[in-house]
């Protein structure tokens, strides 16, 4: 099942169900994605019964699947990425006993084609290509195996990051506020079975193709997460209930053969350059720059659709 | 103007306006606090025109003013607290050029008399008495002076903290997830003029009286913030718009004469004990423990009402 949210001028948009070929949609009897997730057990069969998609889908009208969420928690669980950043920037060694996770701003997610407004090029504007899941309500103390039953939808995310601000905030231990502005989501939120064998062990085994200003930047595969989404959800739910519509992210997708497949954020490329040659060569994004991201299956299909955005000044 | 939210079984509760003596209320033509903040300019005069409060107010029915918010950002700007924690726990020195702030979970705030459910006494259960403000929409890049115009309501908060988890999360630089479960709010959200001279320079100059299991714990004054709420809002808004209903917290209220006025969290008392005697003497909260918090004005009035909560196991 493929869901999307159309921008109808309201803060939450209009939930629709999308045809298997992602060209048409049908309105559904539940107005918003949040409302569907709040009552997923009752709503899911109603949505699954829909088989006619009368309306042509205009990509320009598609908002983020959740335009705003009550909670957004982003992991960082690709050990290649963690090790590269650790070596290049002298960060503390990765704790392999527990996932890294930060609490992000959740009141706004950009749609896949929206311009991204940021205050300054001096902040080190960077993208982070990643995958995420959206849960229904997860009770406090849920274990990692049970947690996977709470994964209702899978999404593709660009976690915008401001790299010159990040280390200043990291060194306080309080985490990121200024360095993590609003994120973006690809058009389609899909139920796990839509990914077939690519959804396995709580991981998305798809290549995430990224282009920066039209040039190939990377196509790392989502599979090698040190902790899967089940572990990430359980980690988040240790001391809190997770509200329906909680979004959990994987962090920047990164693979051990980065020399071959590239990276999913500029910062990682700079880390590789620093390790190899003592200093970073690649600059961060400039206003007017574009980034394009789409996960591709083996058959060439793109389950989540396309993120293609331009960075502009406020 | 004094506002409150009644628990009517819905996620957002029912907004009411409260009489000056805080004993009666009137229903208002806007259903929820969030809806009022979304359209504050139009709603405020409607609320201010209400002068009859026909219904007696039962404290047991009062929820947090915002039962859930799209964004909750908590500062830590009392330099006495920062210095004590720094000395006792070997934290990095306080950066006096920029406020400390973390992004907290915002999808649930406990009401003032609700039991607080936590998974384990081993996590070092602690309270943090503090003040907070609720803003309308704040555009990205708003300066600290203009930011104060966006303070629509002032609140009193208990920022529940799990102290054995906090340093593990701090050392990653990613900030807190597990160590910062849902917070609590006192019954009444008040407009700035309700505090009279106690609201000055973006600070709440009231003593925050705290009792733990019936014993006086502290009554530190909110005034000596190193950065006021104007600076905190501007800090938060550097790279994002703040959505209407954003809550900004001060962090644990703390005064230089802590030997006389006490503290607003157990962790600070333990830090003082460590500095004085090499080790902490005071344990954290046990299940069944109660904490009571109320800010008091010079005339003995309590503008935000009373938080009185018990900690219980899940």
């Amino acid at each position: 099942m493929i869901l999307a949210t159309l921008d109808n001028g309201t803060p939450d948009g209009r939930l629709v169900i999308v045809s298997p070929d992602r060209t048409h949609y049908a309105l559904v009897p539940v107005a918003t994605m949040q409302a569907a997730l709040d009552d997923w057990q009752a709503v899911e069969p109603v949505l699954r019964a829909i088989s006619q998609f009368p309306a042509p889908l205009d990509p320009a009208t598609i908002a983020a699947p959740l335009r705003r969420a009550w909670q957004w928690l982003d992991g960082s669980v690709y050990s290649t990425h963690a090790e590269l950043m650790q070596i290049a920037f002298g960060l503390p060694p990765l704790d392999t006993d527990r996932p890294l996770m930060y609490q992000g701003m959740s009141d706004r997610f950009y749609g896949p084609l929206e311009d991204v407004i940021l205050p300054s090029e001096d902040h080190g504007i960077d993208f982070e290509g990643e995958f995420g899941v959206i849960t229904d309500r997860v009770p406090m103390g849920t274990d990692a195996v049970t947690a996977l039953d709470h994964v209702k939808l899978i999404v593709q995310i660009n976690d915008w990051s401001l790299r010159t601000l990040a280390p200043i905030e990291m060194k306080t231990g309080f985490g990121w506020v200024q360095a993590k502005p609003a994120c973006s989501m690809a058009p389609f939120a899909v139920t796990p079975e839509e990914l077939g064998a690519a959804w396995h062990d709580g991981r998305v085994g798809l290549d995430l193709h990224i282009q920066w200003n039209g040039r190939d930047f990377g196509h790392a595969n989502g599979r090698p997460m040190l902790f899967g989404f089940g572990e990430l959800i359980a980690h988040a739910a240790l001391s809190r209930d997770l509200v329906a519509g909680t979004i959990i992210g994987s962090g920047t997708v990164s693979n051990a053969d980065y020399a071959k497949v590239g990276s999913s954020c500029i910062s990682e490329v700079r880390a590789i350059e620093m390790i190899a040659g003592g200093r970073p060569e690649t600059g961060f994004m400039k206003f007017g720059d574009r980034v394009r991201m789409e996960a591709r299956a083996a058959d060439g299909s793109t389950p989540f659709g396309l993120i293609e955005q331009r960075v502009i000044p406020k």
Side-chain angles (χ1 to χ4, degrees), chain A residues 70-142:
Chain A
W70 292 111
Q71 185 147 209
W72 154 236
L73 291 161
D74 196 13
S76 179
V77 295
Y78 290 92
S79 44
T80 297
H81 177 74
E83 284 157 18
L84 288 168
M85 302 300 273
Q86 182 204 326
I87 296 167
F89 299 108
L91 301 182
L94 184 68
D95 186 344
T96 55
D97 293 336
R98 43 187 292 129
L100 271 175
M101 183 175 280
Y102 80 90
Q103 179 103 32
M105 71 163 275
S106 62
D107 66 88
R108 178 186 186 175
F109 286 86
Y110 283 105
L113 304 180
E114 268 187 276
D115 286 341
V116 173
I117 302 162
L118 288 169
S120 171
E121 291 178 343
D122 295 340
H123 291 158
I125 302 168
D126 197 1
F127 47 81
E128 286 195 5
E130 53 182 85
F131 296 105
V133 299
I134 305 179
T135 71
D136 63 359
R137 183 177 176 280
V138 181
M140 186 189 296
T142 296

Side-chain angles (χ1 to χ4, degrees), chain A residues 20 26 103 298 306 308 311:
Chain A
Q103 179 103 32
L306 175 69
E308 184 162 25
V311 175

Side-chain angles (χ1 to χ4, degrees), chain A residues 58-75:
Chain A
D58 174 2
T61 63
I62 304 179
L66 275 173
R67 303 193 83 176
R68 54 183 182 178
W70 292 111
Q71 185 147 209
W72 154 236
L73 291 161
D74 196 13

Side-chain angles (χ1 to χ4, degrees), chain A residues 134-211:
Chain A
I134 305 179
T135 71
D136 63 359
R137 183 177 176 280
V138 181
M140 186 189 296
T142 296
D143 65 56
V145 174
T146 312
L148 280 184
D149 297 337
H150 292 284
V151 172
K152 297 309 168 195
L153 296 164
I154 306 173
V155 293
Q156 182 193 308
I157 294 169
N158 181 4
D159 176 34
W160 289 100
S161 298
L162 301 176
R163 299 299 187 184
T164 61
L165 300 171
I168 299 167
E169 295 192 318
M170 278 189 93
K171 79 164 192 234
T172 69
F174 275 48
W176 298 299
V177 175
Q178 295 181 335
K180 291 287 186 180
C183 297
S184 310
M185 273 195 251
F188 306 119
V190 304
T191 46
E193 88 284 352
E194 284 289 334
L195 299 185
W199 174 246
H200 178 71
D201 196 25
R203 290 156 169 88
V204 179
L206 296 174
D207 293 342
L208 183 53
H209 288 258
I210 299 178
Q211 288 188 332

Side-chain angles (χ1 to χ4, degrees), chain A residues 241-275:
Chain A
D241 301 321
L242 302 183
V243 69
T246 292
I247 309 170
I248 306 275
S250 67
T252 314
V253 175
S254 179
N255 291 175
D257 57 345
Y258 53 80
K260 186 175 145 213
V261 302
S263 296
S264 303
C265 68
I266 299 171
S267 190
E268 184 177 296
V269 167
R270 288 166 59 90
I272 293 164
E273 290 166 348
M274 283 174 74
I275 294 164

Side-chain angles (χ1 to χ4, degrees), chain A residues 36-54:
Chain A
L37 290 158
D38 283 338
D39 196 20
W40 188 258
Q41 215 174 347
V43 169
E44 185 185 11
V46 175
L47 300 183
R48 287 200 184 273
I50 296 170
S51 57
Q52 302 296 314
F53 308 94

